[in-house]
Coordinates of all heavy atoms in Angstrom, one line a residue:
M84 N -4.0 19.9 -9.0 CA -5.3 19.5 -8.5 C -5.7 18.3 -9.4 O -5.6 18.2 -10.5 CB -6.3 20.7 -8.6 CG -7.6 20.3 -8.1 SD -8.9 21.6 -8.5 CE -8.3 22.9 -7.5
V85 N -6.4 17.4 -8.6 CA -6.9 16.1 -9.2 C -8.4 16.1 -9.1 O -8.9 16.4 -8.0 CB -6.3 14.9 -8.5 CG1 -6.8 13.7 -9.1 CG2 -4.7 14.9 -8.6
H86 N -9.1 15.8 -10.2 CA -10.5 15.8 -10.2 C -10.9 14.7 -9.1 O -10.4 13.6 -9.0 CB -11.0 15.5 -11.5 CG -12.5 15.5 -11.6 ND1 -13.3 14.5 -11.2 CD2 -13.4 16.5 -12.3 CE1 -14.6 14.9 -11.4 NE2 -14.6 16.1 -12.0
P87 N -12.0 14.9 -8.3 CA -12.5 13.9 -7.3 C -12.8 12.6 -7.8 O -12.6 11.6 -7.1 CB -13.8 14.7 -6.8 CG -13.6 16.1 -7.0 CD -12.8 16.2 -8.3
D88 N -13.2 12.5 -9.1 CA -13.4 11.1 -9.7 C -12.2 10.3 -9.7 O -12.1 9.0 -9.9 CB -14.0 11.2 -11.1 CG -15.5 11.7 -11.0 OD1 -16.1 11.8 -9.9 OD2 -16.0 12.1 -12.1
F89 N -10.9 10.9 -9.7 CA -9.6 10.2 -9.8 C -8.8 10.3 -8.5 O -7.6 10.0 -8.7 CB -9.0 10.7 -11.1 CG -9.7 10.7 -12.3 CD1 -10.5 11.8 -12.8 CD2 -9.7 9.5 -13.0 CE1 -11.2 11.6 -14.0 CE2 -10.4 9.4 -14.3 CZ -11.1 10.5 -14.7
L90 N -9.3 10.5 -7.4 CA -8.6 10.5 -6.1 C -8.3 9.0 -5.9 O -9.0 8.0 -6.2 CB -9.5 11.0 -5.1 CG -9.7 12.5 -5.2 CD1 -10.7 13.0 -4.0 CD2 -8.4 13.3 -5.2
K91 N -7.1 8.8 -5.3 CA -6.6 7.4 -4.9 C -6.5 6.5 -6.0 O -6.5 5.3 -5.8 CB -7.6 6.9 -3.8 CG -7.8 7.7 -2.5 CD -8.5 7.0 -1.5 CE -8.7 7.8 -0.3 NZ -9.4 7.2 0.7
C92 N -6.1 7.1 -7.2 CA -5.7 6.4 -8.3 C -4.3 6.5 -8.7 O -3.8 6.0 -9.8 CB -6.6 6.7 -9.6 SG -8.3 6.4 -9.3
G93 N -3.5 7.2 -7.9 CA -2.1 7.5 -8.2 C -1.9 8.7 -9.2 O -0.7 9.0 -9.6
V94 N -2.9 9.4 -9.5 CA -2.8 10.6 -10.3 C -1.9 11.6 -9.7 O -1.0 12.2 -10.3 CB -4.2 11.2 -10.7 CG1 -4.0 12.3 -11.6 CG2 -4.9 10.2 -11.6
G95 N -2.2 12.0 -8.5 CA -1.5 13.0 -7.7 C 0.1 12.7 -7.7 O 0.9 13.6 -8.1
K96 N 0.3 11.5 -7.4 CA 1.7 11.1 -7.3 C 2.4 11.2 -8.6 O 3.6 11.6 -8.7 CB 1.7 9.7 -6.8 CG 3.2 8.9 -6.8 CD 4.0 9.2 -5.6 CE 5.1 8.5 -5.3 NZ 6.2 8.6 -6.2
S97 N 1.7 10.8 -9.7 CA 2.3 10.8 -11.1 C 2.4 12.3 -11.4 O 3.6 12.6 -12.0 CB 1.3 10.1 -12.2 OG 1.2 8.8 -11.8
L98 N 1.6 13.2 -11.0 CA 1.9 14.5 -11.4 C 3.0 15.1 -10.6 O 3.9 15.8 -11.3 CB 0.6 15.5 -11.0 CG -0.6 15.2 -11.9 CD1 -1.7 15.9 -11.2 CD2 -0.3 15.8 -13.3
I99 N 3.3 14.8 -9.5 CA 4.5 15.2 -8.7 C 5.7 14.6 -9.3 O 6.6 15.2 -9.4 CB 4.3 14.9 -7.2 CG1 3.1 15.7 -6.6 CG2 5.6 15.0 -6.5 CD1 2.8 15.3 -5.1
D100 N 5.6 13.4 -9.5 CA 6.9 12.7 -10.0 C 7.2 13.3 -11.4 O 8.5 13.6 -11.6 CB 6.6 11.2 -10.4 CG 6.5 10.3 -9.1 OD1 6.9 10.9 -8.0 OD2 6.1 9.2 -9.3
F101 N 6.2 13.7 -12.3 CA 6.4 14.3 -13.6 C 7.2 15.8 -13.3 O 8.1 16.1 -13.9 CB 5.2 14.5 -14.4 CG 5.5 15.3 -15.5 CD1 6.1 14.7 -16.8 CD2 5.1 16.7 -15.5 CE1 6.3 15.5 -17.9 CE2 5.3 17.5 -16.7 CZ 6.0 16.9 -17.8
S102 N 6.6 16.4 -12.4 CA 7.0 17.7 -11.9 C 8.5 17.7 -11.4 O 9.3 18.6 -11.9 CB 6.2 18.4 -10.9 OG 4.8 18.5 -11.4
V103 N 8.8 16.8 -10.7 CA 10.2 16.7 -10.1 C 11.2 16.3 -11.3 O 12.2 16.9 -11.4 CB 10.2 15.5 -9.0 CG1 11.7 15.2 -8.7 CG2 9.4 16.0 -7.8
E104 N 10.9 15.4 -12.1 CA 11.7 15.0 -13.2 C 11.9 16.1 -14.2 O 13.1 16.4 -14.7 CB 11.0 13.7 -13.9 CG 11.1 12.5 -13.2 CD 10.4 11.3 -14.0 OE1 10.3 11.3 -15.2 OE2 9.8 10.5 -13.3
H105 N 10.8 16.8 -14.5 CA 10.9 18.0 -15.4 C 11.7 19.2 -14.8 O 12.6 19.6 -15.5 CB 9.5 18.5 -15.8 CG 9.6 19.6 -16.6 ND1 9.9 19.6 -17.9 CD2 9.3 21.1 -16.5 CE1 9.8 20.7 -18.6 NE2 9.4 21.7 -17.7
S106 N 11.6 19.4 -13.6 CA 12.4 20.3 -12.9 C 13.8 20.0 -12.7 O 14.6 21.0 -13.0 CB 11.8 20.6 -11.5 OG 10.5 21.0 -11.4
I107 N 14.1 18.7 -12.5 CA 15.5 18.4 -12.4 C 16.3 18.6 -13.8 O 17.3 19.1 -14.0 CB 15.8 16.8 -12.0 CG1 15.4 16.8 -10.4 CG2 17.1 16.4 -12.3 CD1 15.2 15.4 -10.0
K108 N 15.5 18.2 -14.9 CA 16.0 18.4 -16.3 C 16.2 19.8 -16.6 O 17.0 20.1 -17.5 CB 15.1 17.7 -17.3 CG 15.1 16.1 -17.3 CD 14.1 15.5 -18.3 CE 14.0 14.0 -18.0 NZ 13.0 13.4 -18.9
S109 N 15.4 20.6 -16.0 CA 15.5 22.0 -16.3 C 16.4 22.8 -15.3 O 16.4 24.0 -15.3 CB 14.0 22.6 -16.1 OG 13.2 22.1 -17.0
N110 N 17.1 22.1 -14.5 CA 18.1 22.5 -13.6 C 17.4 23.4 -12.4 O 18.1 24.5 -12.1 CB 19.2 23.4 -14.3 CG 20.1 22.4 -15.1 OD1 20.4 21.3 -14.7 ND2 20.4 22.8 -16.3
V111 N 16.3 23.2 -12.1 CA 15.6 23.9 -11.0 C 16.2 23.4 -9.7 O 16.4 22.3 -9.6 CB 14.0 23.7 -11.1 CG1 13.4 24.2 -9.9 CG2 13.5 24.2 -12.4
K112 N 16.4 24.4 -8.8 CA 17.0 24.0 -7.6 C 15.9 23.6 -6.5 O 16.3 22.8 -5.5 CB 17.8 25.2 -7.0 CG 18.8 25.8 -7.9 CD 19.9 24.7 -8.1 CE 20.9 25.4 -8.9 NZ 21.7 24.4 -9.7
S113 N 14.7 23.9 -6.6 CA 13.6 23.4 -5.6 C 12.3 23.7 -6.1 O 12.1 24.4 -7.1 CB 13.7 24.3 -4.3 OG 13.4 25.6 -4.5
I114 N 11.4 23.0 -5.6 CA 9.9 23.1 -6.0 C 9.3 23.6 -4.7 O 9.5 23.0 -3.6 CB 9.3 21.8 -6.5 CG1 10.0 21.3 -7.7 CG2 7.8 22.0 -6.7 CD1 9.5 19.9 -8.0
R115 N 8.4 24.7 -4.8 CA 7.7 25.1 -3.6 C 6.2 25.0 -4.0 O 5.7 25.2 -5.1 CB 8.1 26.5 -3.4 CG 9.5 26.6 -3.0 CD 9.9 28.2 -2.8 NE 11.3 28.2 -2.3 CZ 12.0 29.4 -2.4 NH1 11.4 30.5 -2.8 NH2 13.2 29.3 -2.0
L116 N 5.3 24.8 -3.0 CA 3.9 24.8 -3.1 C 3.3 25.1 -1.9 O 3.8 25.2 -0.8 CB 3.5 23.3 -3.6 CG 3.9 22.1 -2.7 CD1 2.9 22.0 -1.5 CD2 4.0 20.8 -3.6
D117 N 1.8 25.4 -2.1 CA 1.1 25.7 -0.9 C -0.1 24.9 -0.9 O -0.5 24.4 -2.0 CB 0.7 27.2 -0.8 CG 0.1 27.7 -2.1 OD1 -1.1 27.3 -2.3 OD2 0.7 28.6 -2.7
V118 N -0.6 24.5 0.2 CA -1.8 23.6 0.3 C -2.6 24.0 1.6 O -2.2 24.5 2.5 CB -1.4 22.1 0.6 CG1 -0.4 22.0 1.8 CG2 -2.5 21.2 0.6
Y119 N -4.0 24.0 1.2 CA -4.9 24.4 2.3 C -4.7 23.5 3.5 O -4.4 22.4 3.4 CB -6.3 24.3 1.8 CG -7.4 24.7 2.8 CD1 -7.3 25.9 3.5 CD2 -8.4 23.8 3.1 CE1 -8.2 26.2 4.5 CE2 -9.3 24.1 4.2 CZ -9.3 25.4 4.8 OH -10.1 25.7 5.6
Q120 N -4.6 24.2 4.7 CA -4.2 23.5 6.0 C -5.1 22.2 6.2 O -4.6 21.2 6.9 CB -4.2 24.3 7.2 CG -5.4 24.8 7.6 CD -5.3 25.5 9.0 OE1 -4.3 25.6 9.6 NE2 -6.4 26.2 9.3
K121 N -6.3 22.2 5.8 CA -7.2 21.0 6.0 C -7.2 20.0 5.0 O -8.0 19.1 5.0 CB -8.6 21.6 6.3 CG -8.7 22.5 7.6 CD -10.1 23.0 7.8 CE -10.2 23.9 9.1 NZ -11.3 24.4 9.4
N122 N -6.4 20.2 4.0 CA -6.3 19.2 2.9 C -5.3 18.1 3.3 O -4.2 18.0 2.7 CB -5.9 19.8 1.6 CG -6.1 18.8 0.3 OD1 -6.2 17.8 0.5 ND2 -6.1 19.5 -0.8
I123 N -5.7 17.3 4.3 CA -4.9 16.3 4.8 C -4.3 15.3 3.8 O -3.1 14.9 3.8 CB -5.4 15.7 6.0 CG1 -5.9 16.7 7.0 CG2 -4.6 14.6 6.7 CD1 -5.0 17.5 7.6
P124 N -5.1 14.8 2.9 CA -4.7 13.8 1.9 C -3.5 14.4 1.2 O -2.4 13.7 0.8 CB -5.9 13.5 1.0 CG -7.1 13.7 2.0 CD -6.5 15.0 2.9
A125 N -3.6 15.8 0.6 CA -2.7 16.3 -0.1 C -1.4 16.4 0.7 O -0.2 16.2 0.2 CB -3.1 17.6 -0.7
I126 N -1.4 17.0 1.9 CA -0.3 17.2 2.8 C 0.4 15.8 3.1 O 1.6 15.8 2.9 CB -0.8 17.7 4.2 CG1 -1.3 19.1 4.0 CG2 0.2 17.7 5.2 CD1 -2.0 19.7 5.1
K127 N -0.3 14.7 3.2 CA 0.4 13.5 3.4 C 1.1 13.0 2.0 O 2.2 12.6 2.1 CB -0.7 12.3 3.7 CG -1.2 12.5 5.2 CD -2.2 11.4 5.4 CE -2.7 11.5 6.8 NZ -3.7 10.6 7.2
L128 N 0.5 13.3 1.0 CA 1.3 13.0 -0.4 C 2.3 13.8 -0.5 O 3.5 13.3 -0.8 CB 0.2 13.2 -1.4 CG 0.8 13.0 -2.9 CD1 1.3 11.6 -3.1 CD2 -0.2 13.5 -4.0
Y129 N 2.3 15.1 -0.3 CA 3.5 15.9 -0.5 C 4.7 15.5 0.6 O 5.8 15.4 0.1 CB 3.1 17.5 -0.1 CG 2.2 17.9 -1.1 CD1 1.2 18.9 -0.6 CD2 2.0 17.5 -2.4 CE1 0.3 19.4 -1.5 CE2 1.1 18.0 -3.3 CZ 0.1 18.9 -2.8 OH -0.8 19.5 -3.6
E130 N 4.3 15.1 1.8 CA 5.4 14.8 2.7 C 6.0 13.4 2.3 O 7.1 13.2 2.3 CB 4.9 14.8 4.0 CG 4.5 16.2 4.6 CD 3.8 16.3 6.0 OE1 3.5 15.1 6.5 OE2 3.8 17.3 6.6
K131 N 5.1 12.6 1.7 CA 5.7 11.2 1.3 C 6.5 11.3 0.1 O 7.4 10.5 0.0 CB 4.4 10.4 0.9 CG 4.7 9.0 0.4 CD 3.4 8.3 0.0 CE 3.8 6.9 -0.7 NZ 2.6 6.2 -1.1
C132 N 6.3 12.5 -0.7 CA 7.1 12.7 -1.9 C 8.3 13.6 -1.6 O 8.9 14.0 -2.5 CB 6.3 13.3 -2.9 SG 5.0 12.2 -3.7
G133 N 8.7 13.8 -0.3 CA 10.0 14.4 0.1 C 9.8 15.9 0.3 O 10.8 16.6 0.5
F134 N 8.6 16.5 0.3 CA 8.4 17.9 0.5 C 8.5 18.2 2.0 O 8.1 17.4 2.8 CB 7.0 18.4 -0.1 CG 7.0 18.6 -1.5 CD1 6.8 17.5 -2.3 CD2 7.4 19.9 -2.2 CE1 6.8 17.6 -3.7 CE2 7.4 20.0 -3.5 CZ 7.2 18.8 -4.4
K135 N 9.2 19.3 2.4 CA 9.4 19.5 3.8 C 8.5 20.9 4.2 O 8.5 21.8 3.4 CB 10.8 19.8 4.2 CG 11.7 18.7 3.8 CD 11.4 17.6 4.6 CE 12.4 16.4 4.3 NZ 12.0 15.2 4.7
Y136 N 7.8 20.8 5.3 CA 7.1 21.9 5.8 C 7.9 23.1 6.1 O 9.0 23.0 6.7 CB 6.3 21.5 7.1 CG 5.6 22.7 7.7 CD1 4.4 23.1 7.3 CD2 6.3 23.3 8.8 CE1 3.8 24.1 8.0 CE2 5.5 24.2 9.5 CZ 4.4 24.8 9.0 OH 3.8 25.8 9.7
V137 N 7.5 24.3 5.6 CA 8.4 25.5 5.8 C 7.6 26.5 6.7 O 8.2 26.9 7.6 CB 8.5 26.2 4.4 CG1 9.2 27.5 4.6 CG2 9.3 25.4 3.5
D138 N 6.3 26.8 6.5 CA 5.6 27.7 7.4 C 4.1 27.5 7.1 O 3.6 26.9 6.0 CB 6.0 29.1 7.0 CG 5.7 30.1 8.0 OD1 5.1 29.9 9.1 OD2 6.0 31.4 7.7
T139 N 3.3 28.2 7.8 CA 1.8 28.4 7.6 C 1.5 29.9 7.4 O 1.9 30.6 8.3 CB 1.0 27.8 8.8 OG1 1.3 26.4 8.9 CG2 -0.5 28.0 8.6
V140 N 0.8 30.2 6.5 CA 0.5 31.7 6.1 C -0.9 31.8 5.7 O -1.6 30.9 5.3 CB 1.4 32.2 5.0 CG1 2.9 32.2 5.4 CG2 1.3 31.3 3.7
D141 N -1.3 33.1 5.8 CA -2.7 33.6 5.3 C -2.5 34.1 3.8 O -1.7 35.1 3.8 CB -3.1 34.6 6.3 CG -4.5 35.2 5.8 OD1 -5.0 34.8 4.7 OD2 -5.2 35.9 6.6
L142 N -3.1 33.5 2.9 CA -2.9 33.9 1.5 C -3.9 34.9 1.1 O -4.2 35.1 -0.1 CB -2.9 32.7 0.6 CG -1.6 31.8 0.7 CD1 -1.5 30.7 -0.2 CD2 -0.2 32.7 0.6
G143 N -4.7 35.3 2.0 CA -5.8 36.3 1.7 C -7.1 35.8 1.1 O -7.8 36.4 0.4
L144 N -7.4 34.5 1.4 CA -8.5 33.8 0.8 C -9.6 33.5 1.8 O -10.5 32.6 1.6 CB -8.2 32.5 0.1 CG -7.1 32.7 -1.1 CD1 -6.6 31.4 -1.6 CD2 -7.8 33.6 -2.2
R145 N -9.6 34.3 2.9 CA -10.7 34.0 4.0 C -12.0 34.1 3.4 O -13.0 33.5 3.8 CB -10.5 34.9 5.1 CG -9.2 34.5 6.0 CD -9.1 35.6 7.1 NE -7.7 35.4 7.7 CZ -7.6 34.7 8.8 NH1 -8.7 34.1 9.5 NH2 -6.4 34.5 9.4
N146 N -12.2 35.0 2.5 CA -13.7 35.3 2.0 C -14.2 34.0 1.2 O -15.3 34.0 1.1 CB -13.7 36.4 1.0 CG -13.4 37.7 1.8 OD1 -13.6 37.9 2.9 ND2 -13.1 38.8 0.9
Y147 N -13.2 33.1 0.9 CA -13.6 31.9 0.3 C -13.6 30.7 1.2 O -13.7 29.6 0.8 CB -12.7 31.6 -1.0 CG -12.8 32.8 -1.9 CD1 -11.7 33.7 -2.0 CD2 -13.8 32.8 -2.9 CE1 -11.9 34.7 -2.8 CE2 -13.8 33.9 -3.7 CZ -12.9 34.8 -3.7 OH -13.0 35.8 -4.6
G148 N -13.5 31.0 2.5 CA -13.4 29.9 3.5 C -12.0 29.3 3.6 O -12.0 28.2 4.2
L149 N -11.0 29.8 3.0 CA -9.7 29.2 2.9 C -8.9 30.2 3.8 O -8.1 31.2 3.3 CB -9.2 29.0 1.6 CG -10.1 28.3 0.6 CD1 -9.7 28.3 -0.8 CD2 -10.1 26.8 1.2
D150 N -8.7 29.9 5.1 CA -7.8 30.9 5.9 C -6.4 30.6 5.9 O -5.5 31.5 5.6 CB -8.4 30.9 7.3 CG -8.8 29.5 7.9 OD1 -8.5 28.5 7.2 OD2 -9.2 29.5 9.0
W151 N -6.0 29.4 6.2 CA -4.5 29.2 6.5 C -4.0 28.2 5.4 O -4.7 27.2 5.2 CB -4.2 28.7 7.8 CG -4.4 29.8 8.9 CD1 -5.6 29.8 9.6 CD2 -3.7 30.9 9.1 NE1 -5.5 31.0 10.5 CE2 -4.4 31.5 10.2 CE3 -2.5 31.4 8.6 CZ2 -3.9 32.8 10.6 CZ3 -2.0 32.6 9.1 CH2 -2.7 33.2 10.2
F152 N -2.8 28.3 4.9 CA -2.1 27.5 4.0 C -0.7 27.1 4.5 O -0.1 27.9 5.0 CB -1.9 28.2 2.6 CG -3.2 28.3 1.9 CD1 -4.2 29.2 2.1 CD2 -3.6 27.4 0.8 CE1 -5.4 29.5 1.4 CE2 -4.7 27.6 0.1 CZ -5.7 28.5 0.4
K153 N -0.4 25.9 4.2 CA 0.9 25.4 4.6 C 1.8 25.5 3.5 O 1.4 25.1 2.3 CB 0.9 24.0 5.2 CG 0.1 23.8 6.4 CD 0.2 22.4 6.9 CE -0.3 22.3 8.4 NZ 0.2 21.1 9.1
L154 N 3.0 25.9 3.6 CA 3.9 26.0 2.6 C 4.9 24.8 2.6 O 5.5 24.6 3.8 CB 4.8 27.3 2.8 CG 3.8 28.7 2.8 CD1 4.7 29.8 2.8 CD2 2.9 28.8 1.6
Y155 N 5.3 24.2 1.6 CA 6.2 23.2 1.4 C 7.3 23.5 0.4 O 7.0 24.2 -0.6 CB 5.5 21.9 1.1 CG 4.7 21.2 2.2 CD1 3.4 21.8 2.6 CD2 5.4 20.4 3.1 CE1 2.8 21.2 3.7 CE2 4.7 19.9 4.2 CZ 3.3 20.2 4.5 OH 2.7 19.6 5.5
E156 N 8.4 22.8 0.6 CA 9.5 22.9 -0.4 C 10.1 21.6 -0.5 O 10.4 20.9 0.5 CB 10.4 24.0 -0.1 CG 11.7 24.2 -1.0 CD 12.7 25.3 -0.6 OE1 12.9 25.5 0.7 OE2 13.0 26.1 -1.5
R157 N 10.6 21.3 -1.7 CA 11.5 20.1 -2.0 C 12.8 20.6 -2.8 O 12.7 21.1 -3.8 CB 10.7 19.0 -2.8 CG 11.7 17.9 -3.0 CD 10.9 16.7 -3.6 NE 11.9 15.8 -4.1 CZ 11.7 14.6 -4.6 NH1 10.3 14.3 -4.8 NH2 12.6 13.9 -5.2
L158 N 13.9 20.5 -2.1 CA 15.1 20.8 -2.8 C 15.4 19.6 -3.7 O 15.4 18.5 -3.4 CB 16.3 20.9 -1.7 CG 16.0 22.0 -0.6 CD1 17.2 22.0 0.3 CD2 15.9 23.3 -1.3
L159 N 16.0 20.1 -4.9 CA 16.4 19.1 -6.0 C 17.9 19.1 -6.1 O 18.7 19.0 -6.1 CB 15.7 19.5 -7.2 CG 14.2 19.7 -7.1 CD1 13.7 20.1 -8.5 CD2 13.6 18.3 -6.8

């Protein structure tokens, strides 16, 4: 998550790049993540960074106004 004061500054991309590099060095086979379906900026970033859509699921957070989440994966 990136603090709103730092949106569109490249922080999210840097965090993803670091995670991918660290995962590769750690011999991880894939990275999986979930994102609230209405978080379009994050979804665009993940897809730009090579994450592929897997499914949409209910993670049980409807009481908080978060009903559906998209699942993404990037094979390393």
Side-chain angles (χ1 to χ4, degrees):
M84 179 184 298
V85 176
H86 189 280
D88 290 348
F89 299 98
L90 294 177
K91 299 185 180 182
C92 295
V94 175
K96 175 85 165 69
S97 293
L98 289 169
I99 291 173
D100 290 346
F101 173 81
S102 298
V103 169
E104 289 175 27
H105 180 71
S106 298
I107 290 170
K108 289 177 185 174
S109 300
N110 294 316
V111 172
K112 302 295 181 206
S113 70
I114 299 172
R115 297 178 181 165
L116 56 85
D117 56 69
V118 58
Y119 179 53
Q120 71 171 352
K121 294 182 182 175
N122 189 346
I123 304 304
I126 290 169
K127 287 181 180 180
L128 174 62
Y129 299 146
E130 291 176 352
K131 180 181 174 183
C132 290
F134 286 83
K135 303 296 181 198
Y136 171 79
V137 175
D138 198 2
T139 299
V140 297
D141 179 352
L142 295 180
L144 298 174
R145 287 180 189 263
N146 292 342
Y147 301 98
L149 305 169
D150 45 3
W151 295 102
F152 287 78
K153 291 187 172 197
L154 307 180
Y155 282 84
E156 180 176 42
R157 178 171 166 179
L158 300 177
L159 304 175

